[in-house]
């Protein structure tokens, strides 16, 4: 038997969807997907992320504390690189130690 998890009436299919529903933040939008994306996809994602972050900050300035925390979290995600992606991008024999 599988336990089902609901947030605001929506069922979360997996852990990432649970986080997205609970926090209202799409992690991949700000952090980037785990798989490769084209330059066009990246720029489109960045444009949307900037707009969402701006909206969150405006809501926070208007007194929405949750939006303020979401803005901080989303902003921090923009400075991360998933370990899986970063390790996959490493090339053998490059860098200072090579």
């Amino acid at each position: 038997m599988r336990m089902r998890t609901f947030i605001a009436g929506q069922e979360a299919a997996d852990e990432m969807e649970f986080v997205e529903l609970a926090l209202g933040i799409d992690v991949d939008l700000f952090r980037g997907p785990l798989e490769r994306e084209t330059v066009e996809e990246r720029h489109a994602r960045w444009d949307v992320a900037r707009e969402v972050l701006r909206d969150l900050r405006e809501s926070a300035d208007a007194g929405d504390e949750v939006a303020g925390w979401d803005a901080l979290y989303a902003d921090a995600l923009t400075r991360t690189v998933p370990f899986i992606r970063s390790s996959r991008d490493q090339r053998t024999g490059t860098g200072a130690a090579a």
Side-chain angles (χ1 to χ4, degrees):
M1 177 184 276
R2 181 178 90 88
M3 181 180 279
R4 297 171 20 177
T5 305
F6 289 87
I7 304 288
Q10 289 189 288
E11 183 176 3
D14 55 27
E15 288 180 31
M16 288 306 293
E17 190 170 312
F18 175 80
V19 170
E20 181 180 342
L21 289 171
L23 297 176
I25 296 289
D26 179 357
V27 173
D28 284 345
L29 176 63
F30 295 97
R31 179 202 61 205
L34 295 177
E35 58 277 340
R36 293 199 184 274
E37 61 185 344
T38 66
V39 171
E40 294 83 15
E41 291 170 331
R42 183 178 319 114
H43 287 292
R45 180 177 55 79
W46 286 347
D47 288 342
V48 172
R50 276 192 296 274
E51 187 174 320
V52 170
L53 191 53
R54 187 190 71 235
D55 290 345
L56 287 170
R57 288 178 175 151
E58 287 175 0
S59 295
D61 291 343
D64 186 342
E65 185 178 351
V66 172
W69 286 109
D70 285 348
L72 290 171
Y73 179 57
D75 189 49
L77 284 171
T78 64
R79 295 169 190 17
T80 63
V81 176
F83 180 73
I84 293 170
R85 187 173 72 210
S86 67
S87 65
R88 183 177 49 218
D89 290 345
Q90 294 289 326
R91 294 183 189 171
T92 306
T94 62

